[in-house]
Every structure is written in C-alpha cells, then in structure tokens.
Amino acid sequence: MLSFDVLVIGGGGAGMRAAIEAARAHECSVALLTKAHPLRSTTGCTGGGINAVLNSADPDDTVEKYIKDTIVGGDYLNDQDAVEFFASQAASAVKELDRFGVPFFRDETGRIAQSRGGGASAPRVCWTLGHAIAHSLYEQYLRYEIYDLSDVFLLDLTVENGRLQGVIALNIQTGTVFPIAAKAVVMATGGAGRIYWQRTTDPVDCTGDGLAICLKAGIALKDTEFVQFHPTALAATGILLSEAARGAGAYLLNRDGERFMSRYEPEKMELATRDAISTAIETEIREGRGYGTGAGAHVMLDLRHIDRGILQDKLKQVYDAAVKFEGLDPSESLLPIRPACHYMMGGIDVVDFKTCTTSIPGLFAAGECACVSVQGANRLGGNALSEVVVFGKTAGAAAAAYAKSQLVSDHASLQDGVSCWQLRFASVRARQSGISLTKIRERLAACMWENVGISRNARSLQVALDTICELKQDYESVEIGDSQQRGNSAFVHYLEVGNLLDIAYAVTLGALSRRESRGCHQRSDFPARDDANFLKHTLISKIDGDFHVNYRPVSITKYLPTERKP
Ligand SMILES: Cc1cc2nc3c(=O)[nH]c(=O)nc-3n(C[C@H](O)[C@H](O)[C@H](O)COP(=O)(O)OP(=O)(O)OC[C@H]3O[C@@H](n4cnc5c(N)ncnc54)[C@H](O)[C@@H]3O)c2cc1C
C-alpha cells in the first residue's frame, strides 16, 4: 500500500505550495494527488493579480490599511486575527514567488509594479499570469521530488475513531480503486463554481469534491452562502474579463449609454467592490436598461478610450479574450458582459488559521476549498492568490510537523473503504437504463442561477432546496452510459455531479438561514445587514444524510463593524 507522511490533495497553487513546504524542510515523504495535472488548475488560468503591501506605487501604504480594506470588503464577517496574520505574510509570499521566477510586471525602476484593485485604498495588486505562477510553483515541485499522483480522483477520506488513516482514490486511467495511507492530509481541491455550470468563470473541474468529501467525513462547511459573482464575464461564454480592465479605466454602460455606476457608487464608480457592481448590473437588466432579454441579457464594458498599446500589453488577456471568444476588438467595439459565479468565500471549516487544521486532527485545508475566514462575506480582487500562497505554505508546514509527531496508523478501514468503492463503481457502470446525468446537472445550474444567484429571498431559496432534493433522488437512478473500467470519465463526472448536489444544498441552506444581506449574500426580503443577529459564521454539517445549521462567533480584534456606505 502506498504510504506517506503528508498527502496533498489538489495540484493548484495551494496544493503545490503546501507540498513544496512539507517537502523542503521537514524530512518527510510527500505525495500530491490531483485529478488534473498541476499545470491545468484554476490557479493556472487566473488573471494573476495578487495582493501585498510592497509600497512600489504608494510609499504610504501599510499592512494596517490592507487589513482594514480586507475587513471592510468582507463586510466584517472576516476573522480579524486571521486577516492580520494573512496581511502580514502576503508580502513575503509574493517576494518568494518572485524568487521562484514568477515574471511580475515591473515599474520603470525595476520594482514589482502595483495597481489599485476594486475596494482597495492603495495600489496593491501585483500583476503576472496565473499560468506563470503555476509553472514557477511546478518547477519547485519537481525540484523537491514530490511523489506525483496525477489523473487520480479522490473518492473518500478514511477516519477511524477520530483518527485519520488516509484516503481512497481512483486511478482514472486504469480504473483501479486503491488506498493511500497518510499521517497528514492537506485538502487543496479548489472551488465549486460549477454548481452554476455555464454561468461561472471557473474551469469545468471546480466541482467542490473536497468540500463534499469533508462534509461526508463529518467536517462542517463554513459560510457557504457567500458566493462571489464577478461582474464582468463575457455574456455568451462566462469567460472572465479581469478587473485590470476597470483598473485601467474601463466604463460600464447601460442601453442608454449611461455610466450607471454613478447612481450606485458615485465615488468608486467602476472600482467599487465586485458584489456592488454585480448587483448594479443585474438591477439595470431587471429594470429594462440592459441589452437583450433572458439568458442573453447583458450590459456593456467600454474600453474604446483606452490606449491601444495598453490594451495589447497590460490588458492583453482582456484584449485576447474579447477577440478570440467574442470576435470583438475592444478598441473599436463595446463588449457584452454579465456577472458569473467566480469564487466561494466559504469552504471547509478551518479551526486554526495558524496551522490550517480542521476539526479532524491531521487533516488540513488551504486555498479556495478552505474557509480560513480571511475573505469574510466578500473578497477583494487579488486576495485569493495571496491566500493560496500564504495558507498553502502554512498548511504544508503544519502538516509536516504533525506527521512527524505521529506513529504509523492502523490501515484496516482503508481496505474496507476500497471494497465499498469497488462495488459502487461496478454497480453504477452496470446500469443499463436510467436518468441522464447531463439533465440533472443542467437543471441544477438553472435552478441555482434563478434562485440562489446575486439576489435571493426565502421563496426562491425554498424552491431551490426542494428542487435539489428532487435532483438528489433522480441522481440515485442515473445511467452514466459507459461500462468500461479503464478511463471511465463518465463515472468521474457522475461523482462530481453528486458532489455538486451536496454543495448546492449547503450553499442554499446557508443562504436561507441567513436572514440578512451582507457582502455578496443579498436577500431582497432582508436588505439590511443585521449585526445583532448575524455577525457570525454559518456552519453546515451533514449527519446521517441530514443537513444541520449551526453558528460560531466572528473573531473581532479592533475593527468594530460600521455601516457599509452605499
Ligand atoms: C478565471 C479566473 C481568474 C481568476 N483571477 C484571479 C486573480 O487574478 N487574482 C486572485 O487573487 N484570484 C483569482 N481567481 C481566483 C483564484 O484563482 C482561485 O481562488 C485559486 O487559484 C484557487 O487555487 P487553489 O489551489 O485553491 O485551487 P485550484 O487552482 O482550483 O486547484 C484545485 C486542484 O484540486 C484538484 N482536485 C479537485 N477535486 C479533486 C479530486 N476529487 N481529486 C483529485 N484532485 C482534485 C484539481 O484538479 C486542481 O488541481 C481567479 C479565478 C478564476 C476562475
């Protein structure tokens, strides 16, 4: 049986950073298991904006200001001690990426250039390409000879008497179900934006597997109702146009040619936070000032006044996306855009931000799958990648330290788990008829966008819960249409859709239970923030198949909640 001190699940930025840290100083065996190759993660396709206080463009910027911006942007749901830790570590994490070889844009003096992102009081975003971050981390990953388990799908965690034994996994190419013993496991499996399927900027494999597997293992999911919608995704494809465009001065226009943000955020205009802009766009569409109707409705992003040189250099990603995916030259044409699900603030409940440990000893979580509570109810652009490297490193170091303190564990339950999964794989493959998986996925996505989108209310959320329950029943009779053992990607997708159903339920239940509007959770029936009753984290757990809601206080150090300015 494969056996490691530290097993990292997920080959994105958080997973690679965790594996590197566990391997490089701690004399322990480390493996990284991932369903897609490490160079094909969300991290690798990001715009590559990452926040830190480097003072390149503003000598007066401080960590204190960064903390305040992150907490105000998060509408005071952030754990303030965690944010203080995070903000103080971000600069060294970015400088380390620089040393790893990440090619950041430079200013005329050669320092890492910085621009101002939405909701930030100072220029703090350092720009590169997500692709470059992934490649630079991958070079380090190869350097430390980490045992590579790519094209392997995590099926389950095995926990016996509160003690982690390891995981059960599926080799996608061979169809073999096999156990891996591990003293410590780091979950770094990314987000779950695909609950909205076509209306997300996330890659297709962001199916919340790690969250669903932890939920099943008895770990709560925290603050899942906080789903960030990026305001500027191309209307037809959901492909993201980064906020670098708005940072460089792009306008948002409605059908009347009006810069409508002047009515919602007159000071910040197009640099307001993402949820403020997303809400404004959907309001314009709903009130008839958008273009088109139904699923094709949109407003316009105007970059025509921006210098063509800037468009083709600093905004190259935006420029290329518009030309390649929409057939429009942004220096001549308006770009049709609409919000799409972009990021989940919630995730696996991390109970100690200094180690990224969860409620199961030996199980750690980092990156978008984790809720360390630094992003609160809404994250600032550039803060996800900072979180990935800061807490990837933290989790890797803590997992290695934990593993060194443990003796080899009993592996009996791992073998039992393998037998159960072999049976399930065989029985699903053998089905000759049943319900279409695609139909379930499409109904789920439509239901989530319609009822658990940017604006929610009790009625829409109850409709969503009822629909998800029906879909869960249908899921029991799915026919995947592939009886092969080897390379059965239909079975993998079947597992992903099952995970999406659980996460969609957790998102919706959290949203229904939170009877207030905060950050990107906007309830039309409870439009105000309600600190008296809801300045607390939501914890969703699943016990014997039933979902439960609990709460935990937010950690406040010195930033007392103040009213959010419109
Ligand atoms: C288009 C886009 C642009 C973005 N731009 C920015 C930006 O400029 N700045 C910023 O701060 N943030 C940005 N973000 C957000 C940020 O990129 C992500 O939050 C971050 O990259 C997540 O990193 P991660 O390592 O946690 O997860 P990921 O990079 O998503 O990696 C998850 C890994 O887990 C693996 N995995 C998942 N499930 C399983 C399973 N069952 N078994 C095995 N392996 C599994 C996947 O294969 C993958 O390797 C952007 C997001 C998108 C979608």
Side-chain angles (χ1 to χ4, degrees):
M1 183 188 301
L2 287 174
S3 178
F4 302 97
D5 292 321
V6 176
L7 175 64
V8 177
I9 315 290
M16 283 198 281
R17 188 62 196 82
I20 291 163
E21 195 61 22
R24 80 170 167 187
H26 301 279
E27 296 161 356
C28 56
S29 57
V30 181
L32 186 142
L33 180 160
T34 173
K35 65 179 174 180
H37 188 274
L39 294 176
R40 295 177 62 88
S41 65
T42 311
T43 304
C45 67
T46 64
I50 179 166
N51 286 344
V53 176
L54 298 183
N55 300 105
S56 301
D58 179 358
D60 297 328
D61 192 20
T62 60
V63 169
E64 182 82 19
K65 287 184 189 169
Y66 183 19
I67 294 167
K68 184 86 195 287
D69 287 347
T70 301
I71 291 170
V72 171
D75 226 354
Y76 293 90
L77 198 75
N78 330 55
D79 279 344
Q80 297 184 2
D81 45 3
V83 179
E84 287 165 4
F85 174 81
F86 161 71
S88 67
Q89 301 291 313
S92 61
V94 169
K95 286 178 191 163
E96 184 182 58
L97 286 180
D98 192 34
R99 285 198 302 280
F100 283 171
V102 173
F104 286 104
F105 282 96
R106 301 278 161 177
D107 64 17
E108 56 288 350
T109 67
R111 288 178 304 188
I112 293 175
Q114 293 189 282
S115 65
R116 198 169 146 216
S121 60
R124 212 171 277 139
V125 193
C126 314
W127 286 104
T128 177
L129 295 174
H131 190 62
I133 294 179
H135 274 262
S136 300
L137 287 174
Y138 190 60
E139 277 176 16
Q140 299 297 316
Y141 170 78
L142 293 178
R143 181 175 160 207
Y144 289 105
E145 296 180 355
I146 292 154
Y147 193 94
D148 186 85
L149 289 161
S150 292
D151 285 332
V152 177
F153 191 92
L154 176 72
L155 297 170
D156 244 336
L157 293 168
T158 304
V159 182
E160 188 70 21
N161 300 325
R163 201 177 145 87
L164 183 75
Q165 294 196 334
V167 309
I168 313 292
L170 171 76
N171 181 319
I172 299 171
Q173 289 179 12
T174 63
T176 313
V177 175
F178 66 105
I180 308 172
K183 292 180 188 166
V185 170
V186 179
M187 298 296 285
T189 49
R194 286 283 156 175
I195 54 176
Y196 297 91
W197 202 256
Q198 55 279 68
R199 283 239 61 77
T200 180
T201 61
D202 280 358
V204 281
D205 67 351
C206 288
T207 48
D209 305 339
L211 283 82
I213 288 165
C214 282
L215 190 64
K216 186 177 160 205
I219 298 174
L221 300 184
K222 186 165 50 186
D223 295 339
T224 43
E225 62 271 33
F226 295 99
V227 178
Q228 184 178 76
F229 295 88
H230 196 291
T232 55
L234 284 172
T237 54
I239 288 179
L240 176 101
L241 300 183
S242 101
E243 38 235 325
R246 285 180 288 118
Y251 303 147
L252 284 164
L253 304 179
N254 63 16
R255 201 181 52 186
D256 305 324
E258 179 200 10
R259 276 180 79 187
F260 56 85
M261 286 310 297
S262 61
R263 279 186 279 111
Y264 301 88
E265 292 266 2
E267 276 176 35
K268 293 181 179 159
M269 296 291 285
E270 284 86 357
L271 289 179
T273 55
R274 289 173 174 174
D275 62 309
I277 297 179
S278 296
T279 305
I281 293 173
E282 288 300 306
T283 306
E284 291 297 296
I285 289 173
R286 203 175 45 249
E287 294 181 357
R289 292 185 294 277
Y291 293 76
T293 53
H298 56 271
V299 296
M300 294 293 189
L301 189 72
D302 186 1
L303 294 106
R304 293 171 302 174
H305 53 288
I306 296 174
D307 182 77
R308 186 181 268 272
I310 294 178
L311 285 178
Q312 292 180 342
D313 178 24
K314 263 193 169 160
L315 296 180
K316 185 166 166 38
Q317 271 191 322
V318 172
Y319 186 86
D320 287 350
V323 171
K324 286 184 187 152
F325 297 104
E326 208 75 28
L328 294 172
D329 180 344
S331 60
E332 292 169 3
S333 308
L334 297 173
L335 305 181
I337 54 103
R338 189 171 187 181
C341 164
H342 183 55
Y343 184 83
M344 297 191 66
M345 267 63 67
I348 300 162
D349 178 27
V350 165
V351 295
D352 177 12
F353 64 86
K354 289 193 190 122
T355 57
C356 291
T357 193
T358 67
S359 57
I360 295 181
L363 186 67
F364 303 79
E368 191 170 337
C369 72
C371 184
V372 189
S373 298
V374 292
Q375 314 290 3
N378 197 7
R379 100 172 148 86
L380 301 182
N383 261 1
L385 287 174
S386 315
E387 177 177 354
V388 155
V389 282
V390 167
F391 290 106
K393 178 177 177 176
T394 304
Y402 178 86
K404 275 167 77 176
S405 71
Q406 299 299 302
L407 301 171
V408 177
S409 62
D410 175 17
H411 299 156
S413 303
L414 280 170
Q415 294 296 1
D416 294 347
V418 169
S419 309
C420 288
W421 275 99
Q422 281 169 336
L423 279 176
R424 184 166 173 201
F425 186 21
S427 81
V428 172
R429 265 163 38 214
R431 281 183 204 154
Q432 301 288 330
S433 63
I435 296 172
S436 147
L437 193 58
T438 311
K439 285 217 173 93
I440 293 180
R441 191 189 74 201
E442 284 176 355
R443 247 191 99 195
L444 175 69
C447 157
M448 292 302 287
W449 184 255
E450 186 66 28
N451 299 301
V452 200
I454 293 161
S455 177
R456 304 114 183 238
N457 58 57
R459 192 200 52 77
S460 73
L461 293 165
Q462 192 56 55
V463 167
L465 282 184
D466 295 344
T467 308
I468 298 166
C469 285
E470 279 172 30
L471 293 174
K472 276 170 166 275
Q473 277 178 5
D474 291 352
Y475 181 75
E476 296 304 315
S477 328
V478 156
E479 188 218 347
I480 62 170
D482 186 349
S483 59
Q484 301 294 313
Q485 174 165 347
R486 296 181 70 86
N488 194 328
S489 54
F491 180 67
V492 169
H493 192 48
Y494 159 83
L495 297 172
E496 291 176 331
V497 172
N499 292 333
L500 286 174
L501 287 167
D502 263 352
I503 302 312
Y505 197 91
V507 168
T508 309
L509 184 59
L512 181 63
S513 310
R514 185 173 285 277
R515 293 181 301 282
E516 65 158 355
S517 290
R518 181 185 297 271
C520 57
H521 169 67
Q522 294 296 315
R523 289 274 305 246
S524 57
D525 47 352
F526 293 98
R529 198 177 78 194
D530 178 0
D531 287 337
N533 293 302
F534 285 102
L535 185 58
K536 56 190 181 185
H537 298 295
T538 310
L539 294 169
I540 306 277
S541 52
K542 191 178 175 192
I543 303 164
D544 297 331
D546 292 330
F547 285 78
H548 300 267
V549 186
N550 287 297
Y551 293 97
R552 181 188 299 148
V554 169
S555 164
I556 307 273
T557 56
K558 58 182 177 184
Y559 305 91
L560 295 180
T562 53
E563 199 184 332
R564 195 166 169 198
K565 300 221 173 70

